[in-house]
């Protein structure tokens, strides 16, 4: 239980702390170590066009825990997002992705890699400088870098969001609106921001072939995207029926288990080079 003292100071009593809270603190401490000691792993998941050509990949983090095994981001990203740990995590991912991009650029491959950016990271005053620094350090081509942001950004300072995105997109970086339709989406925001792409959330793709409501939603998103000249990525495409549904309705980039699961960066690179 937490008790607030006169000065607003919060005191925690270790003995009355619930097990879940204790577990959370433990994991948070371990995550700090994990980032410092290289326990984070970069996974990549292919994104393919309607001809089945891989045009890009999304970077997804995994935590190779020494005792607990491989931990999925759903478990530790929310924890990291509650603290500044997310900034260190996002930076590590960004640096790793930029290095791979530079390697691929050097091999003459034109493939784009996307990185998830947490609002807490984006909102920092040094965000633009950080991206520039990572690009300079690695020598990666900015036009091959995609930054995935979420609708959660829009509840912050919109002027600041527009300003940062404008600087970065002038450098050639592309922005993608992740999990589109699940948050505070507003068509007005879409128009104001220099966004190049929207990602239709997998919850809409799932039942689109069978549920008329989801079908209508996906069709509406595709129409809006076409109207605003935005590229569309469909997330979580698992079945041929879902793929066929999309193919019949527009120009879409596909990401999902049907085309490839997230895999360690090393084996993803190997597969790409073997092709
Ligand atoms: P997201 O950015 O929306 O990523 C897509 C999620 O859908 C990934 O889950 C991916 O593995 C999963 N997915 C892809 N295709 C399919 C499919 O066909 N079926 C199903 N059922 N799932 C599919 P994952 O890797 O567990 O990541 C979950 C979330 O964690 C991500 O959602 C993203 O919001 C966050 N995340 C992951 N890596 C990072 C990171 O480096 N930084 C930040 N800030 N967030 C990250
Ligand atoms: Mg994403
Ligand atoms: Mg998503
Ligand atoms: Mg997400």
């Amino acid at each position: 239980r937490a008790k607030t003292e006169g000065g607003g100071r919060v005191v925690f009593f270790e003995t009355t702390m619930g097990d879940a809270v204790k577990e959370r603190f433990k994991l948070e401490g371990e995550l700090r170590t994990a980032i410092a000691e290289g326990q984070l792993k970069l996974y990549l998941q292919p994104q393919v066009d309607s001809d089945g050509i891989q045009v890009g990949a999304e970077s997804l983090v995994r935590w190779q825990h020494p005792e607990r095994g491989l931990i999925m981001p759903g478990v530790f990203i929310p924890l990291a997002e509650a603290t500044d740990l997310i900034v260190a995590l996002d930076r590590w991912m960004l640096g790793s992705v930029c290095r791979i991009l530079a390697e691929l650029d050097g091999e003459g491959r034109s493939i784009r890699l996307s990185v998830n950016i947490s609002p807490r990271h984006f909102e920092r005053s040094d965000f633009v400088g950080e991206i520039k620094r990572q690009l300079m350090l690695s020598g990666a081509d900015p036009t091959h870098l995609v930054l995935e942001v979420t609708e959660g950004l829009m509840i912050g300072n919109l002027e600041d969001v527009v300003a940062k995105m404008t600087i970065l997109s002038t450098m050639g970086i592309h922005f993608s609106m992740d999990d589109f339709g699940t948050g505070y989406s507003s068509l007005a925001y879409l128009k104001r921001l220099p966004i190049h792409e929207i990602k239709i959330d997998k919850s809409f793709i799932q039942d689109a072939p069978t549920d008329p409501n989801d079908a209508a939603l996906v069709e509406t998103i595709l129409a809006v995207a076409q109207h605003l000249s935005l590229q569309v990525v469909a997330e979580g495409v698992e079945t041929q029926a879902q793929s066929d549904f999309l193919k019949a309705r527009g120009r879409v980039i596909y990401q999902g288990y049907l085309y490839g699961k997230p895999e360690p960066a090393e084996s993803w690179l190997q597969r790409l080079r073997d092709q």
Side-chain angles (χ1 to χ4, degrees):
R1 161 147 8 122
K3 185 181 138 204
T4 307
E5 289 186 335
R9 202 163 70 89
V10 177
V11 180
F12 286 96
F13 297 100
E14 184 75 52
T15 45
T16 55
M17 231 186 241
D19 281 350
V21 178
K22 271 190 214 160
E23 176 69 11
R24 206 188 132 115
F25 271 96
K26 182 155 178 268
L27 211 58
E28 198 181 300
E30 288 177 353
L31 183 55
R32 205 173 295 277
T33 314
I35 297 172
E37 294 186 351
Q39 293 170 16
L40 296 184
K41 300 289 170 230
L42 169 66
Y43 275 53
L44 288 164
Q45 183 180 30
Q47 298 175 328
V48 310
D49 68 13
S50 55
D51 297 322
I53 311 274
Q54 186 173 193
V55 292
E58 177 176 11
S59 63
L60 296 158
V61 70
R62 303 288 183 259
W63 177 3
Q64 188 65 58
H65 191 284
E67 286 121 38
R68 302 179 207 225
L70 197 68
I71 310 184
M72 300 299 281
V75 176
F76 62 92
I77 289 284
L79 259 180
E81 279 181 335
T83 68
D84 265 346
L85 280 177
I86 192 66
V87 178
L89 186 151
D90 274 3
R91 276 191 186 145
W92 181 83
M93 288 293 280
L94 199 58
S96 309
V97 164
C98 284
R99 279 192 297 279
I100 294 178
L101 261 187
E103 261 186 64
L104 294 175
D105 291 340
E107 295 168 20
R109 289 173 205 277
S110 184
I111 195 156
R112 44 166 243 161
L113 294 182
S114 71
V115 182
N116 291 286
I117 300 293
S118 147
R120 199 182 179 107
H121 185 198
F122 187 99
E123 282 160 8
R124 284 175 66 103
S125 59
D126 60 356
F127 179 71
V128 169
E130 160 76 10
I131 303 286
K132 285 186 181 168
R133 197 176 65 87
Q134 296 277 14
L135 285 168
M136 221 147 72
L137 274 175
S138 60
D141 179 347
T143 66
H144 290 160
L145 181 64
V146 180
L147 301 181
E148 293 194 8
V149 296
T150 59
E151 294 161 307
L153 263 192
M154 307 315 140
I155 50 179
N157 178 350
L158 200 61
E159 298 298 321
D160 182 63
V161 174
V162 172
K164 285 172 173 166
M165 280 191 180
T166 303
I167 298 173
L168 293 171
S169 63
T170 304
M171 292 166 55
I173 291 171
H174 284 188
F175 282 94
S176 179
M177 187 61 82
D178 204 356
D179 307 333
F180 186 75
T182 61
Y184 302 84
S185 40
S186 153
L187 299 179
Y189 292 151
L190 269 191
K191 245 189 100 173
R192 273 196 68 185
L193 300 175
I195 292 268
H196 303 79
E197 174 183 285
I198 54 186
K199 297 187 80 171
I200 308 180
D201 193 68
K202 55 178 172 287
S203 58
F204 303 125
I205 303 293
Q206 210 95 51
D207 298 326
T210 50
D211 180 332
N213 290 324
D214 285 336
L217 234 146
V218 170
E219 282 166 354
T220 305
I221 294 175
L222 288 172
V224 167
Q226 195 184 19
H227 206 71
L228 297 175
S229 302
L230 297 172
Q231 183 164 275
V232 177
V233 174
E235 222 176 52
V237 182
E238 293 181 351
T239 68
Q240 195 57 49
Q242 292 161 352
S243 175
D244 292 343
F245 174 92
L246 292 162
K247 196 169 247 168
R249 283 164 181 80
R251 217 180 68 81
V252 174
I253 292 174
Y254 304 80
Q255 181 182 347
Y257 296 167
L258 185 64
Y259 301 95
K261 290 197 169 177
E263 64 175 320
E266 303 77 34
S267 58
W268 178 86
L269 265 171
Q270 194 58 52
R271 190 191 303 279
L272 186 76
R273 286 170 174 152
D274 287 346
Q275 269 165 16

